[in-house]
Amino acid sequence: MRLSGIVHRFSPNDDINTDYIISGRYKFKIDDMNELAKHVMEDISPEFSGKVRNGDIIVAGRNFGCGSSREQAPRALKAAGVSAVIAKSYARIFYRSCFNVGLPLVECDTDWIKDGDIITVDLDTGEVADARTGQKTKAKPIPKTMQILLQDGGLIPHLRKHGDFALR
Amino acid sequence: MGKTIAEKVLSSHSELDCSAGEIVIASVDFCMSQDGTSTMMIRELESLGFKSPKTTNGMTMVIDHNSPCPSVDVAKIHTRMRDFARANSIPLFDVGEGICHQLVPESGKVLPGDLVVGADSHTCTYGALNACSTGLGSTDVAAAAFTGKLWFKVPDTYSVIVNGKMPRRVGAKDLMLSVIGSVTADGATYKSVEFSGEAIDASSMDGRFTMANMAVEMGAKFCPFAFDSKTASWLSARGLGKGANVSCDPDAICEKKYDFDASDIVPKVAKPHAVDNVVDASTLKGTKIQQAFLGTCTNGRYSDLEAAARILKGKHINAGVRLIVAPASRAVLVEAIDGGVYAALLKAGATFVAPGCGPCVGTHAGIPGDGENVISTANRNFKGRMGNNKDVGIYLASPETVAASSLTGEITDPREVKE
């Protein structure tokens, strides 16, 4: 599967936690992901939710999604239209939750990708290419377990399809 | 070849002889969720036609993050949880009972050797009881409740050895902040962290809960402590069984080793806005604070309240400071009342809020004003964490440091305050 979208980068670049992705101010009282999507990244980028478009891609540094286990973080990003995240590394709970809800994560060096670039990601080959500069890199392969979850549309559709875990 | 605690627990729960790096499907003993994560789990369970949990010892839901309810929107979430719990005979801890990570161990739902998952990142707390427990998203917990099992990657283990004796007024929180400062916020991502050494043998069970609780702040998956006489006493005092205690083999492969000398540890503070931004408390002398918070799943236990009361008894907090206390559970509050700790803190000027998460997650019960500094015994100091991102600085520290700072109105090394 190939994805293409406009890049959004943030400050800080590393350790963007799930509180920043969706603040406790909203996530504890709003149960509708489309409503939560209006507040994604608000504490570090108040303008982000107004400018993000369907298919856009978030690019970050190390340890993206650290902190709270709140699954509203991947779900609200998805509801906001984010099609994938590209980062140097991810926190563990967020990593699982993204694939569980069908939001693909790509792991590679990201220093060369600029805010506003149009980036293309091939989830099968791992190729990440920048349309503006022509620069390319190869991402770490997505583990088999996560590929299966992604193909099935997430963990619950996976269980519904197979009646059990069929991840190996 | 020997095995780590994580390898042994995942082997026994998957009926495989597994080692770090392998993917296993393991049976799960217990799972839980709280009011910030339950509705997504409930929706997934209902979509699967859920009847009752397949986990060995069932599941529970806890209303602790927004408790008592602060708004009509949250009331809808709480009602949904109560309705689901009633319809499916799931035990629910309601308003005023306390924080999930205090209630689950207190109620005997986790025993040594267990594999536990929870829709709350600090589920790693139960590692103190020699269990492998970890936080997950709501969908993973729904899958565990529905099938009784879950997939796990068997983690590598980091061994953290702490020898020596902890100095006076230096505790588990200071040690853990030192460790996180060294290992960094993602230094132990996906790892199982096993503590050992003289200072760990000497540490109280409450201290171990504090340390295991914060393991996720360096990215860890599990933080299982060894089973010893203290674990046994803690369990027997509550009329609980011993479980299947699990130890790390001497020849087990640990990916990394860290050594700390407990006698070198001093009162520590994590500065805004990262938990690994750790400095000595003494270096922050002169930093004014307007709010102090004593509580949370990290430091809301009786011994934490007692430690603060020892410093505050017979004194009064600074006129420019609000001290908010949220006991970790009703049992902790009752103990504090019976032992005189409650009165000591109240007379010193503390404001008690209901047992639960209190102002930690920024939804109620103590949202700081613009430009204010808060010193807190919590585990996170992210920007906006306590509900206000306008130049609010959250400083994380031990109960002793929080108490000392609330007396002086600025960040204070507790060793400077007389009892």
Side-chain angles (χ1 to χ4, degrees):
Chain A
M1 187 168 59
R2 278 166 76 88
L3 302 167
S4 192
I6 299 166
V7 169
H8 296 268
R9 299 206 67 142
F10 301 89
S11 176
N13 183 43
D14 295 330
D15 301 320
I16 293 178
N17 58 63
T18 51
D19 274 73
Y20 293 167
I21 297 172
I22 185 67
S23 168
R25 287 197 300 288
Y26 305 110
K27 81 107 181 173
F28 282 103
K29 64 178 182 188
I30 302 172
D31 206 21
D32 176 346
M33 296 305 143
N34 293 320
E35 280 301 309
L36 281 183
K38 295 175 186 167
H39 301 285
V40 284
M41 297 293 184
E42 194 172 284
D43 279 353
I44 56 170
S45 176
E47 65 285 352
F48 174 74
S49 64
K51 67 181 186 189
V52 64
R53 295 288 171 265
N54 218 15
D56 286 2
I57 292 174
I58 284 178
V59 177
R62 278 176 23 246
N63 203 25
F64 190 85
C66 62
S68 158
S69 68
R70 59 190 70 174
E71 201 172 286
Q72 289 94 338
R75 285 176 187 256
L77 284 179
K78 228 185 140 194
V82 173
S83 65
V85 181
I86 308 175
K88 289 183 190 173
S89 64
Y90 299 91
R92 185 189 66 84
I93 302 172
F94 181 80
Y95 186 83
R96 284 182 71 121
S97 290
C98 281
F99 288 93
N100 282 346
V101 304
L103 177 65
L105 301 181
V106 179
E107 205 172 324
C108 64
D109 177 48
T110 54
D111 288 343
W112 57 283
I113 306 172
K114 300 276 176 289
D115 188 64
D117 282 2
I118 293 173
I119 209 100
T120 304
V121 182
D122 190 318
L123 295 175
D124 304 310
T125 65
E127 190 179 270
V128 179
D130 191 316
R132 183 179 60 85
T133 61
Q135 212 174 330
K136 285 179 186 176
T137 197
K138 198 93 169 173
K140 263 171 85 168
I142 295 175
K144 176 99 183 295
T145 309
M146 299 338 233
Q147 282 183 26
I148 296 169
L149 289 177
L150 215 48
Q151 279 156 15
D152 289 346
L155 180 59
I156 301 301
H158 172 84
L159 288 175
R160 213 174 280 127
K161 179 176 164 189
H162 302 277
D164 203 345
F165 293 95
L167 292 165
R168 279 179 292 179
Chain B
M1 185 55 67
K3 288 197 184 301
T4 63
I5 295 178
E7 287 171 330
K8 285 185 182 178
V9 169
L10 287 172
S11 290
S12 67
H13 287 76
S14 63
E15 295 175 17
L16 291 168
D17 179 28
C18 64
S19 305
E22 289 177 46
I23 304 276
V24 299
I25 311 290
S27 62
V28 173
D29 293 308
F30 187 72
C31 64
M32 70 99 197
S33 62
Q34 35 91 343
D35 49 335
T37 59
S38 287
T39 48
M40 289 171 295
M41 178 192 75
I42 290 170
R43 265 199 300 275
E44 299 298 3
L45 284 174
E46 285 178 345
S47 83
L48 286 164
F50 174 81
K51 296 274 188 296
S52 61
K54 296 246 172 42
T55 37
T56 320
N57 300 317
M59 67 190 290
T60 193
M61 295 194 292
V62 184
I63 296 179
D64 56 359
H65 279 63
N66 264 316
S67 170
C69 180
S71 71
V72 174
D73 291 326
V74 176
K76 290 191 174 77
I77 288 170
H78 289 177
T79 301
R80 180 114 163 85
M81 287 174 72
R82 293 185 188 108
D83 289 349
F84 183 78
R86 203 175 304 117
N88 297 283
S89 305
I90 293 163
L92 177 133
F93 290 103
D94 214 315
V95 167
E97 304 244 28
I99 310 174
C100 53
H101 301 314
Q102 184 67 10
L103 297 168
V104 167
E106 271 181 7
S107 61
K109 289 301 184 186
V110 182
L111 291 177
D114 280 359
L115 180 61
V116 176
V117 299
D120 186 283
S121 59
H122 294 109
T123 304
C124 48
T125 307
Y126 321 142
L129 287 175
N130 187 231
C132 281
S133 62
T134 196
L136 291 169
S138 305
T139 296
D140 265 322
V141 174
F146 185 71
T147 66
K149 53 199 175 180
L150 207 57
W151 73 268
F152 293 89
K153 185 176 170 187
V154 184
D156 279 301
T157 290
Y158 283 2
S159 167
V160 181
I161 301 161
V162 193
N163 282 316
K165 195 172 170 233
M166 300 280 268
R168 178 180 159 268
R169 285 207 178 151
V170 175
K173 181 64 162 288
D174 301 305
L175 172 58
M176 199 56 183
L177 287 174
S178 304
V179 171
I180 294 166
S182 302
V183 176
T184 77
D186 65 347
T189 295
Y190 235 111
K191 310 300 176 188
S192 178
V193 176
E194 293 187 14
F195 282 90
S196 62
E198 294 158 4
I200 304 306
D201 295 341
S203 67
S204 67
M205 286 305 292
D206 282 2
R208 295 176 195 180
F209 279 116
T210 298
M211 296 178 71
N213 173 271
M214 289 193 79
V216 69
E217 307 310 331
M218 48 186 178
K221 173 177 188 162
F222 299 141
C223 187
F225 280 68
F227 183 97
D228 65 6
S229 58
K230 287 184 178 150
T231 330
S233 309
W234 193 93
L235 292 165
S236 69
R238 287 157 185 80
L240 305 172
K242 276 189 175 179
N245 70 73
V246 183
S247 58
C248 182
D249 292 328
D251 60 340
I253 296 176
C254 290
E255 191 186 355
K256 253 191 198 175
K257 265 197 176 107
Y258 289 88
D259 275 294
F260 288 86
D261 185 339
S263 58
D264 289 343
I265 309 286
V266 297
K268 297 281 182 184
V269 173
K271 294 197 296 179
H273 302 287
V275 186
D276 59 357
N277 194 10
V278 177
V279 297
D280 293 355
S282 58
T283 66
L284 295 172
K285 198 177 166 125
T287 305
K288 298 274 182 223
I289 54 141
Q290 289 74 37
Q291 183 165 307
F293 173 41
L294 174 62
T296 77
C297 52
T298 317
N299 281 120
R301 298 182 188 83
Y302 177 72
S303 57
D304 300 316
L305 271 50
E306 190 189 31
R310 268 202 301 274
I311 288 172
L312 291 169
K313 193 173 183 181
K315 305 190 183 92
H316 202 279
I317 59 169
N318 187 280
V321 176
R322 312 175 294 271
L323 170 61
I324 294 167
V325 184
S329 70
R330 180 173 284 148
V332 166
L333 177 57
V334 168
E335 203 178 347
I337 290 170
D338 291 347
V341 163
Y342 180 78
L345 291 172
L346 212 54
K347 286 175 187 168
T351 301
F352 274 78
V353 299
C357 302
C360 176
V361 285
T363 52
H364 68 152
I367 294 168
D370 295 0
E372 289 192 334
N373 284 333
V374 180
I375 190 148
S376 163
T377 60
N379 40 38
R380 288 198 178 123
N381 58 352
F382 305 151
K383 191 179 175 206
R385 170 78 178 180
M386 293 183 77
N388 186 349
N389 66 358
K390 294 189 181 67
D391 300 319
V392 171
I394 305 169
Y395 294 79
L396 306 177
S398 70
E400 289 88 345
T401 303
V402 166
S405 305
S406 65
L407 271 182
T408 60
E410 59 181 66
I411 295 178
T412 302
D413 183 325
R415 296 171 302 179
E416 289 178 12
V417 176
K418 282 194 192 131
E419 237 160 74

